[in-house]
Amino acid sequence: TKFRQEFAELFVASVAGNGDIGRPPGTLNAELDQEGIPGISFERFVQRVCQHAPCSKVCFVLALVYLDRLRSRGFRLTLQTGHRAFLVCIILATKYFDDAIFTNTFYAELGGMSVEDLNRCELRVFVALNATLHVPAETYAQYSAIVV
């Protein structure tokens, strides 16, 4: 849909220009890092998730809020971390907001990673967000205006 395409473009633009910045062990950037740059471009990956992720539009907005919260805590979206960070934020938003969710096995296949890696990344992001998935109405409205 037009919404999903615009969302993908917005998200891809937020990663543009962020190269490999080095990742001290134990940091969220190190936890979400992939060896090298994944075989699928970031733009194509975002489009793929937007097309196949079984979630409402609200979840895409929530995912943007979560990513900004991570960035405010020092996380940088890069070509090495963006794929996983995006997927995990969509998963967390879906689990928080939507009634019908798919298993992490489905999402791991969609993201091209093992279930174990996905579970580890999901936990790290959840902890980095201080287990706070609620988004106040005012904040939601600000972000929604960007992508809708």
Side-chain angles (χ1 to χ4, degrees), residues 18 21 41 47 57 77-79 105 117 121 124 128 140:
N18 288 338
I21 58 167
S41 73
Q47 291 170 348
K57 290 181 181 180
L77 288 172
T78 68
L79 294 175
T105 301
D117 278 347
C121 290
R124 277 294 278 134
Y140 178 84

Side-chain angles (χ1 to χ4, degrees), residues 14-145:
S14 72
V15 175
N18 288 338
D20 187 350
I21 58 167
R23 296 156 304 277
T27 65
L28 185 58
N29 274 82
E31 292 288 332
L32 295 180
D33 188 32
Q34 301 180 110
E35 287 297 320
I37 296 174
I40 183 173
S41 73
F42 189 70
E43 180 176 13
R44 182 70 192 116
F45 181 79
V46 170
Q47 291 170 348
R48 173 187 164 119
V49 172
C50 287
Q51 180 180 0
H52 297 290
C55 61
S56 64
K57 290 181 181 180
V58 170
C59 293
F60 291 104
V61 176
L62 295 178
L64 280 179
V65 174
Y66 300 161
L67 286 163
D68 271 355
R69 287 177 181 174
L70 292 173
R71 285 192 279 210
S72 73
R73 292 175 172 97
F75 177 73
R76 288 218 25 216
L77 288 172
T78 68
L79 294 175
Q80 291 80 18
T81 63
H83 293 68
R84 291 179 175 197
F86 172 70
L87 182 63
V88 168
C89 286
I90 290 290
I91 292 168
L92 289 173
T94 301
K95 288 181 177 181
Y96 176 74
F97 185 79
D98 286 349
D99 291 330
I101 59 169
F102 282 64
T103 65
N104 276 13
T105 301
F106 169 83
Y107 289 112
E109 289 175 13
L110 180 63
M113 58 195 300
S114 72
V115 176
E116 292 79 17
D117 278 347
L118 179 60
N119 290 341
R120 179 182 49 76
C121 290
E122 183 181 2
L123 179 61
R124 277 294 278 134
V125 170
F126 186 66
V127 169
L129 291 170
N130 296 324
T132 304
L133 300 181
H134 173 74
V135 173
E138 307 82 36
T139 304
Y140 178 84
Q142 291 171 342
Y143 282 80
S144 182

